[in-house]
Every structure is written in C-alpha cells, then in structure tokens.
Amino acid sequence: MTLLLVLAYFGGVLTIVSPCILPVLPFAFARVDRPFRRNGLPMLIGMAVTFAAVATLAAIGGGWAVRANQYGRTAALVLLAIFAVTLIWPELAARWTQPIVALGSRWSQAGSSNDRDSIVGAMGLGVATGLLWAPCAGPILGLLLTGAALQGASARTTVLLFMFAAGAATSLALALFVGRRVFVLMRRSLGVGEWIRRALGVLILTSVVAIALGADTGFLTRVSLASTSRIEQRLVDAVRPRAASTKVPTAGEALAVEGEMPPLDGATGWLNTAPLSRESLRGRVVLVDFWTYSCINCLRTLPYVRGWAEKYKDHGLVVIGVHTPEFAFEKDEANVRRAAADLGVNYPVALDSNYAIWQAFNNEYWPADYFVDAQGRIRAHHFGEGGYAEAEDIIRRLLTEAGQRNLPGGYVNDDGTGVDAAASNAPQQSPETYVGYARGTNFDSGPAVYDKPHDYRAPDTLAADHWALAGQWTIHDERSVLDRPGGRIVYRFRGRDLHLVLGPMTSGKPIRFVVRIDGAEPGANHGTDVDASGRGTVTDERLYQLVRLAGDTSTPHTVEIEFLDAGVAAYAFTFG
C-alpha cells in the first residue's frame, strides 16, 4: 500500500508537464498576488479533496455519479466565468447583488477583508477547479481508476486518488511560489498589477470556454509535447509489474509458502463440476486461474491451462478457472457457459460475478495463476502471459511433493491459431482502449455526450493510438451503442492484431459490419472473425478478432469498422 501511495503521488506530480493541467493554471494563478497560506493553499486543498471525491464516485458509482458531476461542472463553469469577469472588470462586482454573482465577487475580492473570508473564497475556488479538472488518463491514473472500478468503494480508493491530486497540488504550489515572486517583481518595477489581474481574468475566461468545448480532454491530449506516459509506465512496472516472473527454485531449494488458499465460498455458480471447497481439495495440487472470456491475455494463456488440466488430471492436479467478469455481460451465466464450451474449457470453472474470490485472493490481474500444494498452501503465483515452462515446472514440483511419480514428460505447447495465438511482442503496440466514458481515453470526435444519443464525426486523420466515432452513438460508462445504421468506429493502431469486444443489444439479432484497413479491403490481413473482403457479423457478446497483419507491423494503420445495422455495443480494443 505504501508503494502505491508513493506511485499515486508522483503520478500527480508529473501532471504539471501534462497539457491537461493547462486549463487549471489560470485558476491557480488568479490569486498569485495574495498570501499563499490564506489563498493558494486552501485553493489547492479544495481542488485535491473535490477531485478525489468526484473521481471515486465516477469510478464506482456508475452513470448517475458521472451525470451528477456534469451538473456540478456546469455550475462551476458559470461561477468561474463570473469570477473571471470580476477580475477583468472589478467595478462590476460592486453592482451585482444576486447571490451567485455575489459569490463570484467575494472570490475576486477575498483577502481584502479578513482571513476567514479569504480562506473560504479560496477553498470555494478550489472546489470549482476540482470539479472541472480532467487530468490526462496516463498509466498511473488508469491503474487507480481501474482498481476503483473493480474493487468497489473503499477508503483505500479515495486515499489513492487524493494522493494523486495531492501530487498535482504540490507541483502547482511550486509553480505558484515561482509565479508569486515574478508577479511581485513585475508590480514593483512596472506597476502593472491591475493589468496582470485582468490578463488572468481573460485566461480564466478562455479556460472556461476551452473546458466547455472539451479541449481539456481532447485537443490538449492530442497535441501533447511533454507526454509523461513512458515515465509513468516505468514507475507502474517498477511497483507492480505487468507480468511477474515465475522463478523456479534450483534443486534442493524449497518453494516458499505464500499463505493459505482462501475459501471458494463466494462463487455464484459452477461450470463442469459440483461446487468445490477448499477442504474437499486437500490432498490434490490445485492451479487457480483467474480469467474472463473477453480478455485477450486470458485467451492466449488458455492453450496452456487446457493442456495442463488434460496432461496432469490423472496425476493429482485440479485446475479451477475462476471467471471474474470485467464487463456486465460477462456476469451472465449463459454467456460464460457458451464461451467456455466454444473455447474448449472442460475443467471446473467458478463463477465469481461478485468478485468474492478475487478479493479473497487479493488478486488484481487477468490472467493470474496461483499454485496450491496438497496441503492447501499457496506456493507460487504468476501474473500475465508468458513463463509457461516455468509454470509447468512448478506444477511438476508440487505433484512430486505430493507423492506423484512417473509424471508425463515434455512441456505443453501453444496450439492456438486464432485469438488464442501467442502475442507478436511487437516493440510498439497500441494499449488496451476502452470505448465507454468511465475509462475511455484518446477520443477524437469532440466532447463526449454521456448516456444520450449524439451525432459524432471522425476527423480526417488520427494520431497513433487514438480513435473516433462517426454517426449517431450513445456513449455509456463501459460501452458505446450505435443508434442508427451506418455508424463507424475508426482507430489508428500499432501491432499485429486488432480485437474489439462487441455484442448485440438485442439477443439473437445479428449485426453486420465491414472492416477496412487504410481505406481498402483487408485481404490477407483479415482477422479470424472477418473474411478477406472485411465482412463479418456480431452474433453474441465476445471478443472479435478483426485484423491480423500478414506483413509489416512496425508502421501505424487506420482500421475502420462500419456497422450496417443499428444496435451494436462496442466495449474495448485490445492488440497483439
């Protein structure tokens, strides 16, 4: 937890060089000529606390929280616009007597009466700024928001988000310190304090307009010249590696005991078996594999997990697939049952729709494997793809410890040819990209309209790893739904494979689509779910492979998916 707090804090500190901090700077510098203790500090505290509270609600509260925040943003925009006007024309503040206008005047004049008024006004300005601030969702903030969405409401979630905001507030405080000294020098030497205040008012008014038009989450992200993503990803990997290595001890060196296997009582159902318990598994070696059927990383590990289950089932190994859903449709037992059958998963599967087993293991990854010995103790774990030979060696070690002899030799090999084929490990590969507003990033069709139909336009060109909608869509928290036929999704991607999680909104209604790569039919570059002409059909809710490049994967390509029928729901892009 301590390392995560440090990671969150430094992620916030790095936002000072991110373009998404630009709309906040004029609000922060509006009081640069006032004492920091009574003005700058309360403003930054109000901003940090408000952002942490709103981000927590948005991550765990669903669409209602996001819509409530939209109303708060609108109110904040109005109040800050009034604040800007009073900075530009101070004489207006004395004439306006309406309550809201008086509040704006109070903010502009705070500090001239007493400490209490100054602090209250600065705190109010910070609250409004916290409602408006939309930091670029880099790897660190993405990690925090994903954890909040998956693990639900907790003090831990809010504390981590507050630490992120506190980091941003720290870097802003340093900027205020430097800015105050510059302001004082200019006022003393040039006597232009009033003009500086008016200039700040103009900047605030400009920022209000930019935020209202969505520039804080769209244009500024696209034109970033000081991206912190690489630095953030290095910090994330240092604290929480994407795929922890699986080290096999040398001969004579024992596997460590990592703890007791948690109970499986929280399962909401079971596939391919009667309910299993921790007690009933004593005496057997157990591999607990956390997965979900639309996760590309999980699908790529399935050939190995299936192979181990089959190879060692008569030698004391029990494989349990814990299906913990990422999207709502993966909670449907019928969907999971169908997917398991299609994927050849015939070993026991615990349905973990309420995240009870996930939380009991304190797990945070898809896929994740936990190796349990015959005494019910966790002896090793592995997160992510890769390390398959090392994992099989651990299975053999535990089976040998349990008294098994004459184990079959060799290693299970990857027999996947479609979506379950091994990743290309291309040096440059687009990141997983969500198509709902809760975790969506790099959206280039202008400001998103939440939970309402809206006509979107795709720009003529996209930057790498950016996407856009065209046509009438309704963007929800975890998906975007096409309202009229002929809508498109466009993505400028890097990598060998492009996958998109799709599903029909009406069960049993097929949705036809056409895929184009750089404006042409895919030909030999088509994925397993489309033909050479790019045509395919969405029949159920799952991951669809749309592109598998046969040639060069080092240069970006633009893929366009046009849906000929309305009613499709798009969830997330993944790549390989």
Side-chain angles (χ1 to χ4, degrees), residues 164-207:
F164 181 89
T170 300
S171 54
L172 280 173
L174 292 175
L176 283 176
F177 177 76
V178 175
R180 173 174 169 75
R181 297 178 70 90
V182 172
F183 181 90
V184 171
L185 288 174
M186 291 182 66
R187 185 172 61 181
R188 287 177 179 174
S189 59
L190 301 177
V192 293
E194 189 62 35
W195 287 105
I196 292 176
R197 183 174 288 105
R198 290 183 177 179
L200 287 171
V202 172
L203 286 175
I204 290 176
L205 204 56
T206 302
S207 294

Side-chain angles (χ1 to χ4, degrees), residues 256-531:
V257 175
E258 299 182 0
E260 294 293 318
M261 174 183 171
L264 304 173
D265 302 340
T268 56
W270 288 84
L271 305 181
N272 305 325
T273 183
L276 300 176
S277 68
R278 177 174 57 181
E279 291 70 26
S280 68
L281 293 167
R282 288 293 173 89
R284 309 289 296 274
V285 173
V286 181
L287 171 62
V288 179
D289 176 61
F290 283 89
W291 72 299
T292 185
Y293 78 82
S294 74
C295 164
I296 185 60
N297 309 96
C298 302
L299 296 177
R300 290 179 186 142
T301 64
L302 276 182
Y304 297 94
V305 179
R306 286 195 307 257
W308 297 329
E310 182 64 27
K311 183 177 180 179
Y312 298 106
K313 66 180 181 180
D314 297 327
H315 300 274
L317 177 68
V318 176
V319 174
I320 298 176
V322 178
H323 186 274
T324 310
E326 180 176 14
F327 300 112
F329 65 81
E330 293 172 310
K331 296 181 180 181
D332 188 299
E333 181 175 338
N335 285 347
V336 182
R337 188 178 298 277
R338 181 175 57 249
D342 292 342
L343 295 168
V345 176
N346 52 20
Y347 48 81
V349 174
L351 302 181
D352 188 31
S353 296
N354 295 331
Y355 280 76
I357 303 176
W358 175 285
Q359 293 176 359
F361 275 80
N362 197 28
N363 185 52
E364 298 179 3
Y365 299 91
W366 289 288
D369 289 328
Y370 295 87
F371 302 83
V372 181
D373 65 18
Q375 300 179 53
R377 302 174 301 179
I378 297 176
R379 302 290 295 281
H381 65 271
H382 181 79
F383 303 139
E385 301 178 58
Y388 302 115
E390 293 86 352
E392 188 165 353
D393 283 339
I394 289 176
I395 292 172
R396 295 174 66 86
R397 276 287 289 274
L398 296 180
L399 290 173
T400 300
E401 286 184 9
Q404 295 291 330
R405 299 292 183 267
N406 301 318
L407 296 175
Y411 290 99
V412 169
N413 294 315
D414 180 9
D415 59 0
T417 57
V419 294
D420 54 355
S424 65
N425 295 320
Q428 288 189 323
Q429 184 173 294
S430 295
E432 182 174 16
T433 303
Y434 293 91
V435 186
Y437 58 69
R439 288 182 281 173
T441 57
N442 295 347
F443 179 58
D444 283 3
S445 289
V449 177
Y450 298 160
D451 299 314
K452 293 180 181 180
H454 184 73
D455 288 319
Y456 294 96
R457 295 184 61 185
D460 294 334
T461 59
L462 290 172
D465 307 332
H466 285 238
W467 63 284
L469 297 175
Q472 187 178 98
W473 293 79
T474 300
I475 301 179
H476 298 283
D477 56 347
E478 69 172 20
R479 67 191 179 193
S480 291
V481 178
L482 179 63
D483 299 308
R484 294 177 181 172
R488 295 177 294 125
I489 303 179
V490 186
Y491 198 112
R492 182 76 168 167
F493 78 99
R494 297 177 292 180
R496 182 194 67 189
D497 302 336
L498 178 143
H499 313 94
L500 181 56
V501 179
L502 297 165
M505 290 300 295
T506 302
S507 179
K509 177 187 176 184
I511 308 291
R512 299 167 299 158
F513 64 87
V514 179
V515 173
R516 301 179 185 88
I517 304 175
D518 297 327
E521 294 182 352
N525 294 316
H526 70 89
T528 56
D529 289 299
V530 299
D531 59 23

